[in-house]
Amino acid sequence: MFLIGQYDSPFVRRVAIAMRLYGIAFEHRPWSTFNDAGKIAPYNPLRRVPTLVLDDGEALIDSEAIIDHLDEIARGQDKIAGEAMLPSRGEARRRQLWLCALATGLGDKSVSLIYERVLRKEQLKLWVERCEAQIAGVLDVLEKERAAAATPWLYGERIGHSDVAVACVLRLTREAHPHLFDGSRYQALAAHAAQCEALPAFREIVQPLDPPKG
Ligand SMILES: N[C@@H](CCC(=O)N[C@@H](CS)C(=O)NCC(=O)O)C(=O)O
């Protein structure tokens, strides 16, 4: 199976890190959404990443749907001792999915702002202000949630998909829009990012931001 996309994408990175943490082997095709759109299109008509192509040729798209499949593989292969990186049901699952949606939504807004900056001649103030307000609103909620956690990770003793998603979008947001992340205001998030980035999987699966050229 192979994973399409570059690791400066928080969505591709969270999938690749989950695969490493689960011990699921994969090949990597670091195709760029803009420069290699023609290579991606046969697997994903949206020409977006991540796209995970399974051994039988089936292509999975969207990080959340791909991760759902990884959880299924991991459970089936007994790769994991005890809980998967997401509880299989109930309130704990809903809470973690809620946080993943906030984190990946923040990632969407950070990516939108990058495109706005590099692809447009003149930025649209209305859109920039909207994205920045959405990013600030989500960062406040994530900070509160992380600071309230009494466990080593957001929702327990083991790293979960929400931990990975938060760390990946924080990396992109801080790198692309440093003025939007004040470390003194978001101390719990800064500590969370450092905790994740110190792990071998995060250190191995990383790429400095390489935005498209307009
Ligand atoms: N909701 C999607 C978002 C994926 C996404 O935004 N990928 C970006 C790269 S960071 C992309 O493919 N951009 C090209 C485009 O949207 O045309 C996911 O979670 O996988």
Side-chain angles (χ1 to χ4, degrees):
M1 108 172 103
F2 58 91
L3 176 64
I4 301 175
Q6 301 196 351
Y7 292 151
D8 62 348
S9 158
F11 310 102
V12 178
R13 192 173 181 228
R14 73 181 287 236
V15 166
I17 287 173
M19 290 174 96
R20 273 288 176 278
L21 293 175
Y22 274 150
I24 298 172
F26 66 99
E27 289 171 30
H28 184 211
R29 305 270 196 279
W31 296 339
S32 143
T33 46
F34 283 79
N35 297 337
D36 302 312
K39 286 188 194 167
I40 300 172
Y43 302 103
N44 181 352
L46 280 169
R47 300 159 185 232
R48 299 185 93 189
V49 297
T51 297
L52 182 71
V53 183
L54 306 183
D55 289 342
D56 64 1
E58 184 186 359
L60 307 184
I61 61 172
D62 198 281
S63 62
E64 207 59 55
I66 295 172
I67 279 174
D68 184 68
H69 178 66
L70 299 181
D71 288 348
E72 212 174 283
I73 300 180
R75 285 197 181 93
Q77 290 183 350
D78 276 342
K79 285 253 188 254
I80 45 175
E83 284 285 293
M85 289 176 68
L86 182 71
S88 52
R89 56 198 292 276
E91 204 264 333
R93 178 183 174 86
R94 291 197 301 277
R95 187 80 183 171
Q96 206 173 143
L97 283 174
W98 166 76
L99 201 91
C100 283
L102 284 177
T104 54
L106 194 164
D108 286 333
K109 295 298 154 178
S110 286
V111 171
S112 281
L113 279 182
I114 295 172
Y115 293 161
E116 189 69 25
R117 190 168 66 217
V118 299
L119 299 180
R120 271 191 201 270
K121 278 204 183 86
E122 256 181 63
Q123 294 182 30
L124 187 63
K125 191 166 172 276
L126 177 74
W127 182 246
V128 170
E129 285 177 356
R130 181 179 167 83
C131 290
E132 290 191 351
Q134 289 166 309
I135 288 172
V138 173
L139 284 174
D140 286 343
V141 174
L142 296 183
E143 171 69 16
K144 216 168 140 197
E145 192 77 358
R146 189 61 183 98
T151 46
W153 298 100
L154 263 161
Y155 298 114
E157 301 298 319
R158 297 164 56 98
I159 190 167
H161 292 310
S162 55
D163 293 297
V164 179
V166 168
C168 291
V169 298
L170 283 179
R171 186 177 189 103
L172 174 85
T173 303
R174 294 168 84 178
E175 208 173 334
H177 319 293
H179 64 291
L180 298 181
F181 189 91
D182 174 355
S184 62
R185 177 170 171 186
Y186 302 119
Q187 290 184 14
L189 288 179
H192 178 82
Q195 181 185 355
C196 289
E197 297 293 348
L199 296 177
F202 284 76
R203 294 219 310 262
E204 179 204 339
I205 297 168
V206 67
Q207 180 191 324
L209 179 62
D210 181 18
K213 316 283 179 286

